Amino acid sequence: MTSNTGKMPMAQAAPIGIFDSGIGGLSVLRHIHQNLSHENLLYFADSAYAPYGDRSEPEISARSLAVTQFLLQRGIKALVVACNTATAAAIQAIREAYPNLPVIGIEPGLKPAAAQSHSKIVGVLATKATLLSARLLTLEQQISAASGVRFALQACVGLVDQIEKGELRSAQTAQLLRRHIAPLMGQGADTLVLGCTHYPFVRPLIEDIASSLSTNPIAIIDTGDAASRQLTRVLRDNALLQSPQQQGNVTAFTTGSQTALKTAFNSLLQLQPAIQQVASMAHTTAIS
Ligand code: DGL
């Protein structure tokens, strides 16, 4: 087992680590797998601790550092924090702990949403922790001041649990979503930002509900592909891109159920990676 902390040259053949509180990060892995099919990917679902969005910043930060350390022990050359909640709470701590590790985060697409909204009212669907974070608040204020757009923030409490259960089209999920989306449509939003990586998996339901509540066309913003393109840029800039002659593979780890993650990979991405269940680990210290 090797570890990369920047003291040794990082091999181009080394894997890319991707993590989320559960299966949400698969909506980002999907783009990475398409755009960088020659790369080896290690996916970590911290399902025993999901949802992160109901946890405190110190808790989310501690879990994110523990997962990062686990992935570093498996030799990753770069890390994708495929979780808006963990990016908001912990990306700074991860970068401080591992200054030589390229780290890519994901944030709600407020800027692209503002650029294309006609009504100048944008609804942001995200977890409670993301919407309460200083990072999101700063982003919101900056973009609002520059564009004149008003952001209506909506915490989708309960939605991650429904998605983790695989209930992507159930009546209960639809009811929950309607409750969260109706106030945004009522305020005149014409654009909805998917500010949590789990939500792209209920995008068809979100589109149906939003359209049924509005006479105008509704735009949906998902930043999964943008994060994947940013990863490509960072790997290229650091001369870390794997040779395109190689065929990449996907391996996954979970602190929750191996069967549940296997089902999610298969049904959402039609991928059958090797999956290993791991005990919940605690973050100790930066590896040297
Ligand atoms: N998928 C995550 C996000 O992008 C976390 C959801 C959660 O665990 O609450 O925010």
Side-chain angles (χ1 to χ4, degrees), residues 36-208:
L36 294 168
S37 57
H38 39 278
E39 296 288 345
N40 295 317
L41 309 179
L42 298 187
Y43 186 79
F44 194 106
D46 198 16
S47 302
Y49 292 84
Y52 277 4
D54 297 340
R55 296 183 179 275
S56 68
E57 277 203 1
E59 276 180 305
I60 301 164
S61 205
R63 287 311 304 161
S64 300
L65 285 165
V67 173
T68 302
Q69 186 171 37
F70 177 94
L71 290 168
L72 275 167
Q73 283 163 344
R74 275 142 193 88
I76 58 166
K77 62 182 176 184
L79 177 75
V80 179
V81 183
C83 173
N84 293 262
T85 310
T87 299
I91 199 163
Q92 206 178 327
I94 296 171
R95 286 187 171 136
E96 277 166 17
Y98 305 104
N100 297 311
L101 176 71
V103 182
I104 290 89
I106 187 159
E107 287 183 302
L110 269 51
K111 203 171 172 185
Q116 65 86 63
S117 170
H118 297 293
S119 69
K120 299 279 179 201
I121 299 163
V122 168
V124 183
L125 304 169
T127 68
K128 200 164 68 180
T130 297
L131 296 179
L132 288 174
S133 69
R135 214 179 156 90
L136 195 275
L137 197 70
T138 308
L139 190 68
E140 184 206 350
Q141 283 168 352
Q142 278 170 356
I143 295 169
S144 204
S147 64
V149 162
R150 184 166 71 75
F151 293 99
L153 310 181
Q154 181 65 50
C156 295
V157 177
L159 186 55
V160 164
D161 286 326
Q162 289 299 106
I163 296 167
E164 286 286 320
K165 280 192 276 177
E167 292 201 23
L168 307 185
R169 275 262 171 205
S170 75
Q172 211 187 336
T173 305
Q175 205 177 29
L176 187 80
L177 268 173
R178 184 171 283 272
R179 243 195 354 257
H180 292 318
I181 292 171
L184 305 176
M185 297 296 111
Q187 292 175 62
D190 67 349
T191 305
L192 293 179
V193 174
L194 306 186
C196 167
T197 54
H198 281 73
Y199 302 171
F201 294 125
V202 286
R203 181 174 176 153
L205 202 50
I206 291 174
E207 281 170 339
D208 287 355

